Amino acid sequence: MNAFCSGTELPHVAYFCMEYGLNASIPIYSGGLGILAGDYIKAARELGRPMVAVGILWRQGYTEQHIDSNGQPYDVYRDYAFPDLRDTGVTVSVRIWEHDVVCKVWVLDNQGNVPLYLLDAGFPGSPHGWMTQRLYGGGRQERIAAEMILGIGGIRALRALGLLIDVYHFNEGHAVFAGLELIREKMSQGQSFERAWHNTRQEIVFTTHTPVAAGNEVHDHDTLGRMGAYNGLDYNQMRDLGGDPFSMTVAGLRLSYMANGVSKLHGRTVHRMWGHLESIPLIFSITNGVHPGTWQDPRIKQAFETRGDLWSIHMDNKRKLIEYVKEKGLGNLREDTLLIGFARRAASYKRGDLIFRNPEVIDPYLKTGKIQIIFSAKAHPADMMGKEIIARLVEFQKRYPDNVVFIENYNMDIATLLVRGCDIWLNNPRRPQEASGTSGMKAAMNGVLNLSVEDGWVGEGVQHGINGWLLDFHPGENLSPQEQDELDMKSLYRVLLEEVLPMYYHNRKHWVEMMMLSIDMSRWQFSSHRMCREYYDLMYTPVTTNKRQLLNQSV
Ligand SMILES: *Cc1c(COP(=O)(O)O)cnc(C)c1O
């Protein structure tokens, strides 16, 4: 059995996340959160850190999203095979709606010292397969059931596997029911609720990723109680943890010893959002990072390190992307024309269409072929606004067939092509709504220059005119969305047309220098390795040090 032997210096961590993006062929992720988790456990493996990861086997993944002949997105679901998973032989049971829901525990072994354990209620013969069928699919009850399986089932799986854990890291609020299980364990040994809560707080750290108040998940107590999510607690105890209605973020904060936001700016936003509540732990920030081995072209890495010919490798990556677009029948892009990439979740605050908002300005550049733009996105299947955004991008492709391309079904394979093959990576969300953003880090590591609003991670690395470009800064909180859109649109046009284009077409040497500086800026500072080291140094180790001190005091 691969149980940890305790006593080594580094804390043993159990990392909980609803989704993991390891590669495109294990499609149990939807976007940024999952890919971050996947990148993170790859880094922990490479750094030899003692960690296990816990998640859910989404048998139908998230969604495969295509565009129909009318330019509208539609969703396709398949039952995926997961050939790399091994059955641990362990099952756990979680009581949901008065049923004992049995889950198999699978493990992805190729993660070496950081095995990924996946809970599965959808094995053949199970009557409860709907609970873990589709990531973020179904309604409220599906979501709560899956969260109970991740949290309560996840702790039970660790116990059944015989793993000793020092620190439980809840990556986003989906996992907070694990805290209820840790409390239940202690109460079943005779501790009072208050004592059990206090002791449980000494072993949890919590990361929040959702800077939009409305995006923070809340559940009504009635449903939680009836489904069994109270896990033995009563209403008053649950309200003390998560409020009424029950906020997964507030509960995450109140269950943890420390919590963090995912960029410096976001850390401050988290303070503003939650700092005034009672029983909130120390909140600070650890900026996200991406896994270089996954995202950075090894030839780019080598050319950077040896001061080799970055440009020709970049052009090779651009050709590969252009070739892909052509093979898919999406158009004929040109190698010698500036190529802007924009790929993200289709959420309106990300403003994928900002660049088109004044056709008088942008039309000539698209018609004379000075600018090419390539989009990719996926909308949540039930998000009709997101789907409208995609349909609008597809319309722009029809309007400018030689200069605008939309690639359907954004996933890790498409992201890899884009963050290596574009010239510019555009990011223009309304501020301050991007907790971190990570695609721009992937681009930066490949010498694809960021052109961005100063939100999320960007202000920590991108310097205007040095290693990328920033839109004019304004304090977004005090402006209406329309005012922000207007300011940012003008600023985008000014920087793009007056700074980016002239340099691209007339000063290639300087451009390549900026590529060098972009790689230099990002390769460590925005790597998942730096991020993993910080979690160990700033969060996990303080937790275990504190626990040791508490133990000594009680002796
Ligand atoms: C990196 C990545 C994301 C997250 O990118 P953001 O910049 O945070 O929006 C989402 N989806 C895929 C497929 C990615 O590779």
Side-chain angles (χ1 to χ4, degrees):
M1 176 180 278
N2 50 358
F4 286 135
C5 44
S6 72
T8 56
E9 295 163 37
L10 287 167
H12 292 142
V13 177
Y15 184 80
F16 283 72
C17 192
M18 193 78 144
E19 46 169 314
Y20 290 88
L22 290 158
N23 60 60
S25 63
I26 310 175
I28 55 171
Y29 65 93
S30 86
L33 181 71
I35 292 160
L36 180 82
D39 281 2
Y40 185 61
I41 65 174
K42 289 175 192 172
R45 179 190 63 201
E46 286 162 10
L47 292 169
R49 301 289 162 134
M51 186 185 287
V52 298
V54 180
I56 288 182
L57 182 64
W58 301 104
R59 285 187 171 257
Q60 293 193 344
Y62 176 56
T63 171
E64 231 181 82
Q65 199 167 72
H66 301 284
I67 305 296
D68 69 18
S69 51
N70 296 320
Q72 298 293 325
Y74 66 97
D75 296 286
V76 177
Y77 300 97
R78 323 177 179 279
D79 290 303
Y80 294 102
F82 296 91
D84 295 334
L85 292 183
R86 180 172 61 78
D87 188 350
T88 62
V90 164
T91 59
V92 295
S93 169
V94 182
R95 198 136 176 96
I96 303 174
W97 287 122
E98 309 281 322
H99 291 283
D100 287 315
V101 175
V102 174
C103 300
K104 277 173 90 74
V105 181
W106 300 87
V107 64
L108 192 67
D109 277 323
N110 62 14
Q111 294 306 304
N113 57 299
V114 184
L116 169 58
Y117 294 102
L118 295 173
L119 287 97
D120 168 31
F123 56 88
S126 165
H128 307 295
W130 58 273
M131 295 182 183
T132 56
Q133 187 177 36
R134 292 178 190 170
L135 173 61
Y136 308 134
R140 181 158 302 273
Q141 296 181 10
E142 280 86 350
R143 177 68 62 90
I144 293 171
E147 290 173 339
M148 291 173 70
I149 288 172
L150 176 68
I152 300 169
I155 296 290
R156 291 180 185 170
L158 297 174
R159 301 294 181 257
L161 291 158
L163 301 169
L164 299 178
I165 302 299
D166 300 309
V167 182
Y168 302 87
H169 182 170
F170 298 172
N171 191 43
E172 192 53 26
H174 308 118
V176 304
F177 296 145
L180 306 185
E181 176 64 2
L182 293 170
I183 289 176
R184 190 200 59 77
E185 287 181 333
K186 295 179 182 73
M187 288 174 75
S188 75
Q189 293 162 0
Q191 294 184 20
S192 66
F193 167 71
E194 283 73 21
R195 191 82 229 141
W197 177 10
H198 174 81
N199 285 336
T200 294
R201 279 194 92 154
Q202 312 305 316
E203 50 193 9
I204 296 173
V205 300
F206 174 58
T207 304
T208 171
H209 297 258
T210 29
V212 188
N216 282 271
E217 206 174 297
V218 292
H219 299 305
D220 66 272
H221 279 268
D222 199 38
T223 312
L224 291 180
R226 279 186 294 127
M227 289 186 70
Y230 278 20
N231 202 36
L233 299 186
D234 65 26
Y235 167 77
N236 289 326
Q237 294 164 340
M238 286 293 280
R239 193 202 47 208
D240 285 350
L241 290 172
D244 186 354
F246 188 88
S247 159
M248 300 296 271
T249 307
V250 171
L253 291 167
R254 289 182 176 158
L255 281 163
S256 56
Y257 179 73
M258 285 181 178
N260 71 299
V262 292
S263 67
K264 291 197 169 75
L265 192 65
H266 179 233
R268 292 199 288 276
T269 307
V270 176
H271 266 286
R272 223 182 15 253
M273 290 171 71
W274 311 108
H276 59 283
L277 297 179
E278 250 174 76
S279 291
I280 297 297
L282 179 68
I283 299 172
F284 62 116
S285 63
I286 293 180
T287 302
N288 284 342
V290 300
H291 183 246
T294 301
W295 299 108
Q296 189 181 39
D297 180 349
R299 298 172 304 164
I300 289 277
K301 178 173 164 26
Q302 206 208 353
F304 173 82
E305 285 166 359
T306 59
R307 294 292 182 246
D309 185 358
L310 269 185
W311 185 253
S312 67
I313 299 164
H314 172 66
M315 285 307 288
D316 190 57
N317 284 332
K318 189 170 177 181
R319 268 191 296 276
K320 282 199 181 108
L321 173 58
I322 290 173
E323 196 54 35
Y324 177 88
V325 167
K326 192 172 167 193
E327 272 169 22
K328 293 273 165 183
L330 297 172
N332 291 309
L333 298 175
R334 295 164 307 280
E335 275 177 42
D336 60 359
T337 303
L338 181 80
L339 180 54
I340 299 176
F342 185 103
R344 42 214 65 233
R345 219 156 32 82
S348 54
Y349 80 86
K350 302 213 182 207
R351 299 186 300 192
D353 63 340
L354 189 70
I355 195 169
F356 297 118
R357 291 212 190 154
N358 189 346
E360 266 176 49
V361 175
I362 198 73
D363 245 47
Y365 289 91
L366 292 168
K367 296 227 161 101
T368 60
K370 277 268 192 270
I371 294 177
Q372 311 174 105
I373 312 175
I374 189 159
F375 290 97
S376 188
K378 230 185 223 184
H380 182 280
D383 176 7
M384 292 309 142
M385 291 239 293
K387 289 189 167 172
E388 271 175 40
I389 292 172
I390 290 182
R392 215 172 317 133
L393 293 175
V394 173
E395 276 174 32
F396 284 117
Q397 166 168 10
K398 292 196 178 123
R399 191 178 314 163
Y400 308 102
D402 297 322
N403 293 70
V404 177
V405 165
F406 180 84
I407 303 181
E408 65 182 14
N409 199 37
Y410 184 39
N411 64 20
M412 289 182 73
D413 284 341
I414 292 163
T416 303
L417 280 169
L418 289 172
V419 300
R420 293 178 182 185
C422 295
D423 297 305
I424 285 283
W425 197 251
L426 177 62
N427 176 46
N428 49 224
R430 259 182 224 128
R431 294 183 74 250
Q433 301 196 36
E434 196 65 87
S436 166
T438 50
S439 58
M441 302 174 183
K442 304 167 191 168
M445 275 183 195
N446 286 296
V448 171
L449 299 177
N450 279 275
L451 168 54
S452 178
V453 162
E454 200 172 328
D455 201 10
W457 72 279
V458 174
E460 293 167 49
V462 177
Q463 289 177 282
H464 184 80
I466 308 285
N467 54 22
W469 288 274
L470 298 170
L471 302 194
D472 297 321
F473 183 85
H474 59 74
E477 305 93 81
N478 306 323
L479 298 173
S480 73
Q482 292 74 20
E483 287 167 331
Q484 278 205 54
D485 291 2
E486 182 72 17
L487 280 176
D488 287 335
M489 179 191 73
K490 286 190 176 140
S491 177
L492 172 61
Y493 288 149
R494 188 185 61 70
V495 176
L496 178 62
L497 305 178
E498 294 173 19
E499 301 191 50
V500 177
L501 281 190
M503 189 179 305
Y504 184 81
Y505 286 111
H506 305 299
N507 197 344
R508 182 63 38 80
K509 184 164 167 293
H510 194 160
W511 187 278
V512 176
E513 279 165 17
M514 286 184 73
M515 291 173 66
M516 279 278 181
L517 292 174
S518 164
I519 298 165
D520 194 38
M521 169 269 288
S522 54
R523 68 204 171 108
W524 168 252
Q525 196 184 342
F526 298 106
S527 71
S528 48
H529 296 77
R530 187 272 307 149
M531 172 192 171
C532 183
R533 285 243 298 246
E534 286 190 356
Y535 274 103
Y536 270 88
D537 292 349
L538 302 176
M539 294 185 92
Y540 306 155
T541 302
V543 165
T544 45
T545 308
N546 171 61
K547 263 207 285 194
R548 218 169 290 133
Q549 279 167 355
L550 291 176
L551 270 177
N552 288 342
Q553 279 164 15
S554 63
V555 169

